[in-house]
């Protein structure tokens, strides 16, 4: 995960260096390495002196080079068997223009972690600039504590009464006979090896439509996530000509307030399998999606990686296992802080990686919902994905107008497409 802060003003480099040391001291996971052992990788928490060798400062003569320099820092590999999972560089353009680039390996952090990380760096810097230690409240738990707790709660797979054994049984039944892949109409044949190169297409779900969709969900005891899940499943069924639709969904995994301020990898991925009957009313599909989602949330402790090992689907370097389309609701917000003598704002990084064939990301904004399709350029051109977005909008408008309409009767073509 690459994260960068643009700093404007007079930066105290020594205070920033000490602040970073404070953050590594506060979060053990940022100074943990994972060397191989006889029974596989194990965690080893390093001392602060072993983990932090100081802040590397690099001069940048041309501000236009910042984006490429940050991208290069983010694309350089981190060997977590020997190196701590965080890399920090301070790129200096002038005495008053700096960019702090932070790269964290996914083994140690998730997207949510970037907010407490940025906040803790800024709190520590503000204190060190005044010559004092940061006065934050000590963390009640560390990530290693959470890992031990999780293992204790899940129990042993050999115990049929354990949580993990019961969740394995649920997922094995829920995903029995799952299709190997979903074939959407693309612009190119699937390559033998998925490159991960991607692009994005953004569109909006306006406030008026958003409110109507909320009403549909409320009338049928379904969340907005469930409504969009059912709509996306409907779209994928129409596009692929199939009815067995699997959608991946990330889950934050931070069920306790003690975890909110912790840096760590808590996110898990769920597989939402839905049978889409084109002759059934959308309300029937919504009820099915709601039940699927509730059951998946109730069995969300089994790590996705272990699920793949247990189910042992056909593995291919050409596509993601168990699902190729994902749906994410994002509520991370923007990290922007003003400090005495410094203004800090998130530095936008144009690095689009496609983890799946297609991912729909929804974010709440004041005008309704912001939507983004991230797509694999191995498979799709922007014009094709723009068409996906237009069809999804027609489905959303259709169900907002009459949610009892049959799924197969919802119009997804525009007038020009219906002309011979």
């Amino acid at each position: 995960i690459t994260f960068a802060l643009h700093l404007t003003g007079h930066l105290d480099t020594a205070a920033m260096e000490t602040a970073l040391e404070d953050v590594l001291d506060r979060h053990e996971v940022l100074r943990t390495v994972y060397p191989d052992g006889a029974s596989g990788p194990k965690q080893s928490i390093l001392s602060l002196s072993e983990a932090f060798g100081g802040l590397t400062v690099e001069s940048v003569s041309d501000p236009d080079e910042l984006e490429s320099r940050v991208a290069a820092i983010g694309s350089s590999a981190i060997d977590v068997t020997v190196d701590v999972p965080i890399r920090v560089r301070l790129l200096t353009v002038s005495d008053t223009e700096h960019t702090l680039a932070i790269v964290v390996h996914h083994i140690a952090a998730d997207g949510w972690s970037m907010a407490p990380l940025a906040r803790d760096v800024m709190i520590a810097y503000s204190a060190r600039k005044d010559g004092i230690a940061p006065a934050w409240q000590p963390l009640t738990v560390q990530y290693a504590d959470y890992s031990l707790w999780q293992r204790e709660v899940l129990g042993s797979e050999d115990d049929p009464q354990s949580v993990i054994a019961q969740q394995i049984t649920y997922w094995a039944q829920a995903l029995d006979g799952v299709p190997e892949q979903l074939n959407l109409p693309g612009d190119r044949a699937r390559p033998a090896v998925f490159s991960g190169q991607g692009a994005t297409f953004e569109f909006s779900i306006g406030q008026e439509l958003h409110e109507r969709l909320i009403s549909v969900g409320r009338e049928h005891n379904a969340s907005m996530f469930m409504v969009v899940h059912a709509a996306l499943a409907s779209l994928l069924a129409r596009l692929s000509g199939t009815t067995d639709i699997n959608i991946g969904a990330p889950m934050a995994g931070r069920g306790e307030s003690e975890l909110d301020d912790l840096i760590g990898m808590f996110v898990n991925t769920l597989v939402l399998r839905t049978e889409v009957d084109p002759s059934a009313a959308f309300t029937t599909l919504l009820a099915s999606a709601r039940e699927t989602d509730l059951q998946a949330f109730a069995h969300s402790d089994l790590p996705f990686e272990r699920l793949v090992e247990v189910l042992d689907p056909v593995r291919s370097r050409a596509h993601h296992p168990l699902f190729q389309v994902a749906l994410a609701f994002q509520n991370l917000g923007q990290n922007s802080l003003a400090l005495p003598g410094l203004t800090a704002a998130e530095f936008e990084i144009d690095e689009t990686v496609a983890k799946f064939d297609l991912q729909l990301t929804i974010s709440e904004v004041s005008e309704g919902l912001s939507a983004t399709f991230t797509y694999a350029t191995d498979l799709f051109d922007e014009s094709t994905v723009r068409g996906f977005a237009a069809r999804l909008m027609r489905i959303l408008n259709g169900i907002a107008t009459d949610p009892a309409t049959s799924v197969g009767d919802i119009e997804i073509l525009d007038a020009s497409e219906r002309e011979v």
Side-chain angles (χ1 to χ4, degrees):
I1 306 173
T2 303
F3 173 72
L5 289 174
H6 185 69
L7 307 173
T8 304
H10 293 283
L11 176 68
D12 185 333
T13 305
M16 180 60 75
E17 182 172 76
T18 308
L20 292 167
E21 192 173 31
D22 290 328
V23 173
L24 264 68
D25 186 41
R26 177 171 170 81
H27 296 277
E28 287 180 352
V29 71
L30 296 179
R31 45 188 171 89
T32 300
V33 295
Y34 305 87
D36 284 322
S39 58
K42 60 181 182 179
Q43 71 163 9
S44 176
I45 301 173
L46 303 182
S47 67
L48 189 57
S49 60
E50 292 174 309
F52 188 67
L55 174 61
T56 301
V57 181
E58 300 176 3
S59 177
V60 178
S61 57
D62 184 356
D64 293 337
E65 295 179 5
L66 277 174
E67 188 172 313
S68 61
R69 292 284 289 273
V70 172
I73 294 168
S75 62
S76 180
I78 298 176
D79 182 357
V80 296
T81 64
V82 294
D83 297 327
V84 293
I86 183 170
R87 176 186 298 122
V88 184
R89 299 287 186 272
L90 181 64
L91 306 178
T92 299
V93 176
S94 69
D95 290 341
T96 58
E97 293 291 330
H98 311 269
T99 296
L100 184 69
I102 302 174
V103 183
V104 188
H105 195 286
H106 231 319
I107 198 171
D110 51 23
W112 180 287
S113 299
M114 295 302 101
L117 175 58
R119 185 196 60 227
D120 285 354
V121 169
M122 294 294 100
I123 290 174
Y125 172 78
S126 182
R128 292 301 180 180
K129 192 171 184 296
D130 291 336
I132 59 176
W136 46 40
Q137 289 294 319
L139 294 172
T140 56
V141 294
Q142 291 286 342
Y143 188 72
D145 301 318
Y146 164 79
S147 300
L148 292 171
W149 169 83
Q150 184 187 48
R151 176 165 294 194
E152 181 180 350
V153 169
L154 292 180
S156 170
E157 293 182 17
D158 297 329
D159 176 7
Q161 301 304 314
S162 69
V163 172
I164 193 168
Q166 293 177 9
Q167 293 202 6
I168 287 174
T169 298
Y170 166 78
W171 286 111
Q173 294 173 349
L175 300 180
D176 182 39
V178 66
E180 179 182 347
Q181 69 182 56
L182 179 70
N183 293 312
L184 298 175
D187 299 288
R188 285 166 290 281
R190 185 182 297 277
V193 178
F194 188 74
S195 74
Q197 296 179 356
T200 58
F201 179 79
E202 299 180 2
F203 58 105
S204 298
I205 299 171
Q207 186 172 1
E208 189 268 340
L209 175 56
H210 182 207
E211 291 174 353
R212 291 161 62 202
L213 293 172
I214 290 174
S215 296
V216 170
R218 187 179 296 120
E219 290 171 10
H220 297 87
N221 199 24
S223 66
M224 181 55 58
F225 177 88
M226 296 168 183
V227 173
V228 176
H229 170 206
L232 180 60
S234 174
L235 172 69
L236 298 177
R238 300 283 293 274
L239 292 174
S240 65
T242 60
T243 60
D244 192 348
I245 303 299
N246 297 285
I247 297 173
M251 185 173 182
R254 295 177 185 251
E256 304 294 334
S257 60
E258 291 86 354
L259 304 180
D260 290 348
D261 293 332
L262 209 58
I263 295 170
M265 178 54 188
F266 296 93
V267 171
N268 195 19
T269 303
L270 307 179
V271 184
L272 309 178
R273 186 181 191 182
T274 306
E275 181 69 23
V276 180
D277 180 356
S279 65
F282 178 81
T283 51
T284 301
L285 175 60
L286 178 57
S288 176
R290 177 182 182 276
E291 181 62 22
T292 294
D293 295 349
L294 290 175
Q295 288 298 320
F297 298 155
H299 298 84
S300 61
D301 299 304
L302 179 66
F304 178 77
E305 294 78 6
R306 182 60 185 140
L307 174 63
V308 174
E309 292 174 351
V310 170
L311 297 183
D312 194 23
V314 175
R315 301 303 298 272
S316 171
R317 298 176 66 190
H319 60 78
H320 193 271
L322 300 182
F323 67 89
Q324 291 78 49
V325 177
L327 170 63
F329 268 53
Q330 191 164 277
N331 243 335
L332 301 180
Q334 288 289 105
N335 296 307
S336 181
L337 297 170
L339 299 173
L342 266 183
T343 299
E346 188 169 348
F347 182 87
E348 294 294 334
I349 304 169
D350 185 16
E351 54 161 8
T352 302
V353 176
K355 299 178 182 179
F356 318 105
D357 292 1
L358 191 68
Q359 174 170 318
L360 176 62
T361 303
I362 301 290
S363 303
E364 288 192 2
V365 294
S366 58
E367 305 83 16
L369 297 174
S370 169
T372 302
F373 269 130
T374 302
Y375 59 95
T377 51
D378 287 347
L379 303 175
F380 306 114
D381 291 333
E382 181 181 305
S383 58
T384 298
V385 178
R386 184 187 300 113
F388 293 169
R391 299 186 204 297
L392 178 61
M393 289 298 294
R394 294 187 191 110
I395 290 175
L396 292 173
N397 275 290
I399 63 179
T401 300
D402 183 7
T405 302
S406 297
V407 171
D409 289 339
I410 299 174
E411 185 59 73
I412 65 172
L413 302 178
D414 64 19
S416 64
E417 290 174 316
R418 290 194 298 270
E419 295 178 0
V420 178

